[in-house]
Amino acid sequence: RPPDRAPPAGGLFVLCRNLEQAEAAVDAGADGVYLDFLELVGTGAAVRALRARSTPVHVALAAPRIRKPGDEKIDHYLAQLEPDALLVRSLGSLRDGPAGDAARIQRIGDFSLNITNKLSAASVLERGLVAFTPSFDLDAHQLTELVDSAFAPFAEVVVHHPMPLFHMEHCVIAALLSDGRDHKTCGRPCESHAVSLRDRAGALHPVEADVGCRNTIFHGSAQSAASLVPGLLARAVRRFRIELVREPAIEVARLVAAYRSLVKGASTPAEIWRDFKTLKADGGYGVVRGSLRVLA
């Protein structure tokens, strides 16, 4: 069962990969942003820029998805920036939470912790997380079953995102655009080039590097769980997330406005689907239906 404490505040949160996206999300009415940046230095500057805005902004930071020995210094650096929350993506980060004054920082478990049932949800909440993100291995029916319980207010459901297809140690960007052997000699082409892989059908799938030089390949089309939102709200889910990859500010604003209207009950899924047809979003949750659905 869930912990005997109040769940975290609800709202619509947006995971952003640059400051332009974060500012557009805040301007459009997002209740908070996650910063998942390539550069640690850029992360600190973005936190300061968002803190300097006239209206307070809920700022959370995302740690790398893979945590190897020595990478704990990244978690410590992010905690030193004093965010409102940290997105925990690995068991190492879950075990080694911030200490001292930083222990007050809220921690939210990401989908990569593979929370697929009530037992795993209870386990991570007992270890100090204030909320968890259901795994993308769940389909829509399984997600609904998980939150049809007292765990619903502790769940943060990703309702719009390009599905991450692969996460790997190999740096595709450096291999294509550099003769260097590691991050010290590659010249950092990831900072100045946007690389995508073209599949046999001609679709382009973005490749993004993280601070550890590991690459994630994202599906070229976003996936939307808009149709599930009314049912999730009826089951007391109160936290929802949009995840961005390369969306420009104008598209970020449209996304946030549409989903904000949906989670507030001012629009129906059918009404906001008109926007998503333009954005080429597929419907569904997780890998069973949506971006990775199996075509007969």
Side-chain angles (χ1 to χ4, degrees), residues 42-281:
T43 301
V47 171
R48 291 188 290 274
L50 291 169
R51 295 287 193 219
R53 292 172 64 98
S54 57
T55 303
V57 179
H58 184 280
V59 181
L61 301 179
R65 200 168 305 287
I66 300 297
R67 188 175 189 257
K68 291 187 173 181
D71 289 349
E72 60 272 9
K73 61 181 180 292
I74 297 175
D75 288 15
H76 296 159
Y77 173 78
L78 295 178
Q80 289 172 7
L81 296 177
E82 299 184 345
D84 296 297
L86 290 168
L87 188 62
V88 176
R89 289 171 155 173
S90 68
L91 293 177
S93 295
L94 176 62
R95 187 194 68 176
D96 300 331
D101 292 341
R104 62 177 175 75
I105 300 173
Q106 290 187 332
R107 297 193 298 157
I108 292 92
D110 204 7
F111 75 90
S112 50
L113 294 182
N114 205 32
I115 308 304
T116 57
N117 53 46
K118 298 180 182 71
L119 288 175
S120 51
S123 178
V124 297
L125 291 173
E126 288 171 358
R127 285 163 172 77
L129 300 187
V130 300
F132 68 93
T133 307
S135 171
F136 294 159
D137 288 330
L138 299 175
D139 61 21
H141 174 71
Q142 293 164 336
L143 170 67
T144 301
E145 282 193 330
L146 173 60
V147 299
D148 193 13
S149 67
F151 285 95
F154 296 90
E156 181 171 307
V157 179
V158 179
V159 290
H160 187 99
H161 69 133
M163 178 69 73
L165 304 179
F166 302 98
H167 188 68
M168 55 192 173
E169 189 79 20
H170 174 65
C171 184
V172 174
I173 304 170
L176 292 173
L177 300 175
S178 171
D179 295 324
R181 299 182 60 86
D182 55 30
H183 69 282
K184 297 179 181 178
T185 59
C186 70
R188 307 283 290 176
C190 54
E191 296 178 2
S192 55
H193 293 79
V195 172
S196 298
L197 298 184
R198 188 187 304 274
D199 66 18
R200 61 185 179 182
L204 292 174
H205 305 284
V207 180
E208 294 291 321
D210 67 13
V211 69
C213 295
R214 301 173 186 109
N215 286 186
T216 301
I217 301 175
F218 294 90
H219 198 285
S221 297
Q223 178 171 299
S224 170
S227 62
L228 304 182
V229 171
L232 296 174
L233 289 170
R235 290 169 173 81
V237 174
R238 294 293 180 263
R239 293 178 68 92
F240 300 91
R241 190 193 313 160
I242 296 168
E243 295 201 351
L244 307 172
V245 178
R246 293 179 182 167
E247 292 82 350
I250 188 171
E251 190 168 332
V252 174
R254 290 175 60 194
L255 278 169
V256 173
Y259 278 104
R260 182 173 175 78
S261 180
L262 182 61
V263 301
K264 295 295 184 184
S267 298
T268 66
E271 289 171 336
I272 71 165
W273 264 111
R274 289 193 296 267
D275 292 332
F276 296 134
K277 293 305 179 184
T278 302
L279 298 172
K280 301 180 180 179

Side-chain angles (χ1 to χ4, degrees), residues 4-23:
D4 185 19
R5 62 172 183 261
L12 178 64
F13 304 89
V14 185
L15 186 142
C16 306
R17 300 183 192 276
N18 56 59
L19 180 58
E20 181 184 38
Q21 289 178 339
E23 291 182 327

